[in-house]
């Protein structure tokens, strides 16, 4: 069991909810089906993910501790998956990250985020929880 989500994703609950192994397993499957093709089977991202592609867009970043996913609060991560990166960043930003609102329901998005977060070491989880709480 891993403490992962804030009350922004689970309204009416304590600031950190415990996510079950079943939810993490569901998230692992959703990740394999929907995310791994770009972000890597082991959350490793695409090579040289910090350097723009010829299109000017950035490659898919890793979701493990070597990336920056853990730098963002829960609500932002949820919105990026649901609406796509360009919609969240705005200002004409272009990204290959699509919106998944028409593909995944909210529980599936929460599950895939739970799976990703379950892979992080304690330091990164703690940092991300603090960012989510606004500390």
């Amino acid at each position: 069991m891993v403490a992962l989500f804030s009350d922004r994703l689970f309204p009416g609950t304590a600031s950190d909810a415990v996510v079950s192994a079943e939810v993490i397993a569901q998230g692992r499957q959703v990740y394999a089906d929907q995310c791994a093709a770009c972000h890597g089977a082991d959350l490793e991202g695409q090579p040289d993910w910090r350097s723009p592609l010829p299109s000017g867009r950035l490659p898919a970043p890793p979701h493990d501790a070597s990336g920056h996913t853990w730098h963002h609060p829960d609500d932002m991560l949820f919105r990026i998956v649901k609406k796509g990166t360009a919609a969240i960043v705005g200002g004409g930003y272009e990204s290959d990250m699509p919106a998944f609102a028409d593909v995944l329901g909210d529980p599936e998005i929460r599950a895939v985020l739970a799976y990703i977060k379950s892979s992080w070491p304690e330091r990164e989880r703690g940092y991300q929880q603090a960012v989510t709480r606004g500390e």
Side-chain angles (χ1 to χ4, degrees):
M1 304 282 252
V2 180
L4 296 173
F5 286 108
S6 77
D7 56 356
R8 293 178 218 179
L9 292 181
F10 293 100
T13 65
S15 64
D16 291 318
V18 175
V19 177
S20 72
E22 182 178 323
V23 170
I24 292 170
Q26 177 192 14
R28 181 180 298 116
Q29 186 61 55
V30 171
Y31 182 88
D33 294 344
Q34 301 295 331
C35 312
C38 293
H39 291 281
D42 295 319
L43 308 167
E44 73 275 13
Q46 294 177 343
D48 300 321
W49 64 275
R50 290 184 175 114
S51 299
L53 298 166
S55 67
R57 297 175 178 183
L58 291 171
H63 287 312
D64 62 14
S66 72
H68 61 82
T69 306
W70 56 273
H71 295 194
H72 302 296
D74 285 340
D75 61 336
M76 178 180 286
L77 296 175
F78 184 86
R79 289 182 298 123
I80 287 171
V81 176
K82 188 166 184 139
K83 298 179 181 184
T85 304
I88 302 309
V89 173
Y93 182 82
E94 293 185 13
S95 172
D96 290 329
M97 171 69 181
F100 282 88
D102 294 335
V103 178
L104 301 174
D106 290 359
E108 292 170 303
I109 295 171
R110 289 184 193 105
V112 78
L113 291 172
Y115 164 64
I116 290 168
K117 293 163 127 186
S118 75
S119 75
W120 299 337
E122 185 62 35
R123 181 182 75 99
E124 285 76 6
R125 283 197 314 265
Y127 179 90
Q128 196 273 336
Q129 288 170 354
V131 168
T132 294
R133 290 189 302 265
E135 296 176 359

